Structure formats: C-alpha cells, structure tokens
Amino acid sequence: MQPCTPPAEAKTPQDVLVVGGGIIGLVTAWRTAQRGLSVAVVDPEPGGGAAQVAAGMLAAVTELHHGEQTLLGLNLASARRYPDFAAELAEASGREVGDAGDAGGLGYRACGTLAVALDSDDRAHLRELHALQRRSGLESEWLSGRECRRLEPMLAPGVRGGLRVDGDHQIDPRRLAAALLVACERAGVVFHRAWAERLSVVRDRARGVVLADGTELHAAQVVLAAGSLSGRLAGVPDDVLPPVRPVKGQVLRLRVPKPYAPFLSRTVRAVVRGSHVYLVPRENGELVVGATSEELGWDTTVTAGGVYELLRDAHELVPGITELPLTETRAGLRPGSPDNAPLLGPTRLPGLQLATGHYRNGVLLAPLTGDVMAHCLTTGELPAEALAFTPARFTAPPPPIPAQSFTEQPA
Ligand code: GLY
C-alpha cells in the first residue's frame, strides 16, 4: 500500500475535497483543479473499484430503456463530448487516445455496437427497442441475420436479426482511470490514500472528513463520489444521504490470440433469456464479457453460476469464444439509484455536493459529470443540462394533492 500524504499536508484546507477516487471522483477532481480550485481526493486506492471491472461501453443508444428519456438526454450529451474529452485527457496524461499497445493509451474506440437477437422473443424485444430508439430520434439500423453475420462472421448461424448502432463506442475503463490519475496529479490534485470514515459537520455545514487514523481534512466544499459506498459515509444527515445501493456485476476477460484477430470488430450484445450479455473487443486482444446484474448487497464473490451463465449466453452468440483463454473473472458493484440516474450537485447540507448513483453509465457519463461538477463547485449552481439530476428530487416533499380531486366527480 502506498503511504498516506504526510499529516502536515493532509491538514492544509482545500477548496474541494472529493471522497472517492473512482472515475467519477477523479474526473470531478481533474476538471475542478483545471478551473483553479485546490482539490484533494480521499481514497485508499484511487483508480480502483468499479473502474477495474467495467467493460467501458459508451452505450447511450443500445442501453436505452423505456421511461429513461431524461437520462437519455444526459447520456447523449456525454457521448457527444467523448472524442474531445478523450483527446484532452490523452494530452494531459501524455498518452494516446486509442490503444498504443504497451505504451498505454486510453483504449478509446469508435467501433460501434451490434445488438442481436437469437430467437423470436429476443427479436421482438429488439424490435421494441428499435421502435423506441426511432421515436427518440436515434440512429439505429435494423439488419437481417445474414447482414449481421456479414458484419461479424464469428456470430452464431442462428442469429435472427440485429440493430447496428455505429454511435455506441467503447473506452478501456482501467486505462481511463489511470490517465485521470496522472492528469489529476499534473493538475496539482492532492491524494490521501486512506478511507474517509466520517463527514465533519460543523454548525450545519460540511467542513471536511475524518480519516480512519483520526486525521481531519478540512475543505470549503466536500463532494461525495464514492460509487456504491456513497450511501454509507457516517456523519451525513439522513435526509441528505444519497439513496444509492450496490448492484453486483460479474465480468470475464478473455484473450484473443493474434492468429484469431480480429475476432469481433465491434461490441456485440444481446438479451438472452432476459439477461444482458455483451462482448467488448479491445484493440489489444482483450475481450470483455459481461455482465450479471445482481441485487446481493456488498457481495463481490465471483460465482460458478455467474461465470457459467455469462459463458453460456456469450457462447450462444459467438460459439468460437470457448477456444479463447479465460484470463480474469471479477465482480464489481454499480452504484444504483432509485431512477437509474445519477445524483449531481449541491445537497440540502451547505458545503456537501454529490456525484454518485451513475448505475450502468458511470464510464459514459464521465465527461459530462466532470464538467457539471466543476461548474457546481465554482458557481454553486447546477447547469441547466443537469437540473433534472439534482439530489433534491429524492428529498423534496411531494406536491400537495388539490382538495377538489377528492370531491369533484368526472363529468
Ligand atoms: N453498462 C453496462 C453494465 O452496467 O453492465
């Protein structure tokens, strides 16, 4: 474990203290430091957590769900920022935007996505999704099974049709987190490699955090960006604590040996018997297969059942995967929120802001979250594009029901 920042520096008050050094915490810290504020991040292992598990699909269109139109707007806004964001981050961290082999690179790939159907139920589901995408003005093309296989020859002969979405890309979250860490350090962000045990609240205002060893860190503003752990920080008043819960995802990593490459040229995904499965091919030969979605609290065990189901479903889509070496199995926790959307910006407790609850879209929403949080921290206000994602939506009392609703009969 790396040593903590020395106590003298630890006690220097910062403008902003970010609790959580995952992708969301790091991007918040980087963007805020770029605006001239002094920033510190508290995390025992910055760049760890869900960033080490996630596949990194930037799937605003193929992960669209009924009832999530507002979230779609946010997701699309972030997807549009990705090319410039990746270029700026690559420059700031001294990397390439794409793969760049062992030398690093963000692994950003504008490869597109193919969502396929294996049976008539899947096809009906995909037709529904296609209709929703079109009603939402999104670009998505229906392909026959033969057309799908022409694009991706490794697909199973039984594929019945699919949706080609060229706008859904990918990035390698591990490389993204590593680059953000470097960009933060270069922008002067201070790291405290320790657990934040408790939020300090003095005279009804957040003033910093207390670390596990008792060290107190002070800041003018605190951002709670601790992913699935965000709902557990002691000291946060109950009516401010974000309603975030862990949603487990098991993910596999395989390796495509050189003679097989390119095995798949784009992300391939499907809903098989009601479960999502996706295969995300990296330029460096890694093939990520995910992901289960399990409401099991804080459990991060990789189970035989989870691995079996992922491999079974992935094998139905792309039979050739059973030839590939399985290099890693891992489980992480998504920060789920009651409406599957993030909580961004100021809370009722002065001095405390939230950047959490990104659920399935943390990697996708990184560019937008960084910009939104830097704006909030420098101006105290949520920008218009993020107003619908205020934490207040879960704490504001419901509007009163007019008395006439109980007395008037319909005409
Ligand atoms: N967005 C992919 C997942 O959460 O599994």
Side-chain angles (χ1 to χ4, degrees):
M1 190 171 143
Q2 301 196 39
C4 292
T5 314
E9 193 179 344
K11 285 180 183 149
T12 307
Q14 304 282 340
D15 293 325
V16 175
L17 193 58
V18 181
V19 179
I23 285 173
I24 294 301
L26 291 175
V27 77
T28 297
W30 178 47
R31 288 310 206 188
T32 305
Q34 282 182 316
R35 294 197 182 200
L37 300 192
S38 62
V39 183
V41 172
V42 185
D43 193 307
E45 202 187 331
Q52 296 299 312
V53 183
M57 288 180 300
L58 309 176
V61 178
T62 42
E63 287 209 0
L64 176 62
H65 289 96
H66 283 284
E68 294 186 358
Q69 300 292 353
T70 315
L71 176 59
L72 171 67
L74 199 74
N75 287 343
L76 289 174
S78 201
R80 278 193 294 273
R81 286 178 204 201
Y82 241 103
D84 289 347
F85 168 81
E88 192 182 340
L89 179 60
E91 170 85 28
S93 61
R95 282 147 207 255
E96 300 285 322
V97 172
D99 183 68
D102 293 340
L106 303 180
Y108 176 62
R109 216 179 157 191
C111 57
T113 296
L114 187 63
V116 300
L118 284 168
D119 60 26
S120 51
D121 284 351
D122 296 346
R123 193 165 57 176
H125 170 88
L126 219 48
R127 285 276 190 206
E128 274 288 312
L129 175 62
H130 192 216
L132 179 61
Q133 289 167 338
R134 292 175 64 126
R135 282 200 300 279
S136 308
L138 302 171
E139 280 184 35
S140 164
E141 183 189 0
W142 182 264
L143 301 182
S144 67
R146 183 173 299 174
E147 288 168 325
C148 290
R149 280 187 300 280
R150 206 174 294 139
L151 276 185
E152 295 297 341
M154 297 303 282
L155 281 174
V159 163
R160 305 277 294 268
L163 290 176
R164 176 179 176 165
V165 178
D166 288 345
D168 276 1
H169 303 153
Q170 60 152 299
I171 193 165
D172 184 336
R174 292 177 175 179
R175 292 170 177 225
L176 171 62
L180 282 169
L181 206 49
V182 172
C184 280
E185 281 165 351
R186 290 184 178 179
V189 174
V190 173
F191 284 91
H192 301 286
R193 289 178 163 81
W195 285 107
E197 287 273 297
R198 154 174 297 275
L199 182 76
S200 310
V201 179
V202 182
R203 283 193 290 280
D204 292 333
R205 187 180 173 92
R207 298 285 177 185
V209 298
V210 181
L211 303 183
D213 68 357
T215 303
E216 288 192 27
L217 305 177
H218 300 290
Q221 302 187 79
V222 177
V223 180
L224 184 46
S228 59
L229 291 166
S230 301
R232 286 177 52 146
L233 184 64
V236 181
D238 283 351
D239 62 342
V240 173
L241 207 59
V244 170
R245 67 184 197 286
V247 182
K248 177 178 172 182
Q250 301 191 47
V251 172
L252 318 177
R253 284 176 160 80
L254 297 88
R255 178 146 294 282
V256 180
K258 284 241 154 49
Y260 285 83
F263 188 78
L264 294 174
S265 65
R266 73 202 69 221
T267 296
V268 169
R269 57 184 303 152
V271 177
V272 182
R273 289 177 290 271
S275 300
H276 290 268
V277 64
Y278 44 78
L279 296 91
V280 183
R282 306 255 191 261
E283 255 167 324
N284 65 4
E286 183 176 78
L287 181 68
V288 185
V289 178
T292 64
S293 192
E294 304 164 72
E295 304 264 0
L296 291 175
W298 303 99
D299 173 54
T300 52
T301 315
V302 175
T303 62
V307 174
Y308 165 72
E309 282 169 25
L310 286 173
L311 285 176
R312 180 196 62 199
D313 295 349
H315 174 253
E316 282 190 38
L317 287 184
V318 181
I321 62 153
T322 49
E323 304 293 320
L324 304 179
L326 175 63
T327 55
E328 194 182 323
T329 59
R330 204 142 167 182
L333 299 172
R334 305 176 184 89
S337 77
D339 59 5
N340 300 336
L343 293 86
L344 303 173
T347 66
R348 282 182 181 186
L349 180 67
L352 181 67
Q353 303 217 13
L354 300 183
T356 188
H358 292 68
Y359 189 38
R360 301 181 72 93
N361 299 304
V363 180
L364 171 62
L365 286 172
L368 185 124
T369 301
D371 293 346
V372 164
M373 293 311 297
H375 181 94
C376 289
L377 290 161
T378 47
T379 67
E381 288 180 3
L382 263 174
E385 65 205 336
L387 283 176
F389 303 95
T390 169
R393 72 189 190 276
F394 296 119
T395 50
I401 301 169
Q404 64 182 22
S405 320
F406 297 106
T407 50
E408 282 182 5
Q409 296 297 316

